[in-house]
Amino acid sequence: MKSLTFKKGSIEMAANLHLPADFNEQKPYPAIVVTHPAGGVKEQTAGIYAGKLAAEGFVAIAFDAFYQGESSGEPRQLENPCARVEDISAAVDYLTSLPYVDHDRIGAMGICAGGAYTVTAALGDRRIKAVGIVSATNYGTILRNGWEGRDDLSTAVAMLENAVKARTEEANGAETGYYPIVPQTEEAPNADLAEAVEYYRTLRAQCSTSPSIAPTRSLMQLFTFNAFHMVDLFLTQPIQIVAGENAGTRWISEDLFRRAASKDKHLHIVPGGTHVGMYDKPDLVAESMSKLGPFFKAKL
């Protein structure tokens, strides 16, 4: 693995490049961009999957989103969905600059919100030839409709008003206000988010660069964002979706599978899998890779 940075304009992206064990820079390789969840960083689940993909013979890059982790940009921890989608294309840009990457064999995968951002990126960035998704979470949709898609929209406008108020206050000198992407304590509204607390806020995957918070102003863009807008028209690349059987977000993966325009689409439900368990539990990751590895090998 090589730690590196590259720039997009004046902002610097930090990334880890995972290489096959028998890497030879004189050979052309297929490459995959791996995108982390909201609130995550490259050292967590994105790095796990990037390492597994490298073991399968791919060049894989796991990066910190601009404004997050070890990447630069202000305000810190900004979770702007349009910026997150652009991050993926920026990582593809970087891969095309490497002499050992085959430009015609670049794929992308993401976990949780990173998976949904990957879908949006693939709609327009046709350099992405194959798409892999684990524990898909369409961030805007779950904010509007709840983790399991059952909430009403009654609080959405009020939360948008709070986001606008926070932005105005910051424009007039106030410090950046933040909200927790996952709860700060073990008291969580559902089993998935309780496991997210364990994942992000205990030794299981806790990382100093991953506070799992976002500026309140981010909600202005997130509430009105739909990562799957026009997937029925433009998501034509081969796609492999993996979701846990017991994940509260399983419905999002099933929705994407139904709507994607691709004629080469696959959905694998992992027995006993939970939303966050798919991030790092060895047996669940292995099951996920049993589909993603052969998929990317066949399509790239």
Side-chain angles (χ1 to χ4, degrees):
M1 185 189 77
K2 295 169 58 177
S3 295
L4 54 92
T5 59
F6 58 90
K7 284 191 173 183
K8 184 180 184 298
S10 61
I11 305 180
E12 191 169 68
M13 177 174 278
N16 289 333
L17 191 67
H18 297 254
L19 301 171
D22 59 351
F23 176 71
N24 180 349
E25 64 181 13
Q26 301 304 315
K27 291 174 53 179
Y29 286 88
I32 300 172
V33 175
V34 184
T35 302
H36 63 70
V41 288
K42 62 187 181 299
E43 289 82 7
Q44 296 167 331
T45 180
I48 290 173
Y49 277 96
K52 299 291 186 184
L53 290 166
E56 297 277 354
F58 298 96
V59 170
I61 187 168
F63 61 90
D64 287 339
F66 290 126
Y67 308 98
Q68 301 178 23
E70 295 179 320
S71 295
S72 67
E74 297 287 342
R76 296 306 300 159
Q77 312 307 324
L78 184 69
E79 187 71 20
N80 182 319
C82 295
R84 290 291 310 269
V85 171
E86 175 60 23
D87 292 345
I88 297 165
S89 288
V92 174
D93 290 343
Y94 175 74
L95 287 177
T96 66
S97 75
L98 301 176
Y100 46 82
V101 168
D102 185 335
H103 295 189
D104 294 323
R105 293 194 293 162
I106 294 176
M109 72 156 287
I111 306 97
C112 191
Y117 294 140
T118 297
V119 166
T120 306
L123 298 180
D125 195 335
R126 312 307 291 185
R127 297 174 299 179
I128 297 172
K129 305 301 184 185
V131 177
I133 309 294
V134 175
S135 292
T137 301
N138 189 343
Y139 204 159
T141 298
I142 64 167
L143 284 172
R144 293 186 297 270
N145 298 104
W147 191 255
E148 297 180 349
R150 300 171 183 169
D151 295 357
D152 60 43
L153 301 176
S154 60
T155 62
V157 173
M159 293 186 73
L160 274 171
E161 294 289 354
N162 286 337
V164 171
K165 181 174 180 288
R167 181 162 180 161
T168 299
E169 290 172 348
E170 290 164 25
N172 286 274
E175 293 186 1
T176 302
Y178 289 88
Y179 73 93
I181 293 176
V182 299
Q184 299 282 3
T185 68
E186 293 182 1
E187 294 183 9
N190 58 58
D192 284 330
L193 289 176
E195 189 175 10
V197 173
E198 178 192 346
Y199 181 82
Y200 285 106
R201 306 201 187 283
T202 75
L203 293 178
R204 175 172 168 183
Q206 192 173 46
C207 187
S208 62
T209 56
S210 173
S212 200
I213 59 175
T216 305
R217 62 184 288 180
S218 299
L219 295 171
M220 287 177 58
Q221 290 79 34
L222 287 167
F223 257 103
T224 56
F225 179 69
N226 181 0
F228 300 161
H229 180 53
M230 295 194 293
V231 295
D232 56 324
L233 294 176
F234 297 122
L235 187 59
T236 58
Q237 297 97 321
I239 180 168
Q240 174 68 64
I241 306 165
V242 181
E245 176 187 23
N246 300 325
T249 55
R250 173 177 165 176
W251 65 277
I252 295 177
S253 293
E254 293 171 337
D255 179 54
L256 175 60
F257 177 70
R258 283 192 300 269
R259 294 170 54 192
S262 176
K263 302 300 183 185
D264 187 359
K265 57 184 179 180
H266 312 273
L267 172 63
H268 181 62
I269 303 300
V270 178
T274 60
H275 180 89
V276 178
M278 301 301 302
Y279 290 16
D280 67 333
K281 290 191 173 179
D283 58 334
L284 301 180
V285 172
E287 176 78 9
S288 181
M289 283 301 303
S290 75
K291 299 298 179 180
L292 289 168
F295 167 77
F296 280 121
K297 285 181 178 180
K299 307 308 173 184
L300 299 178

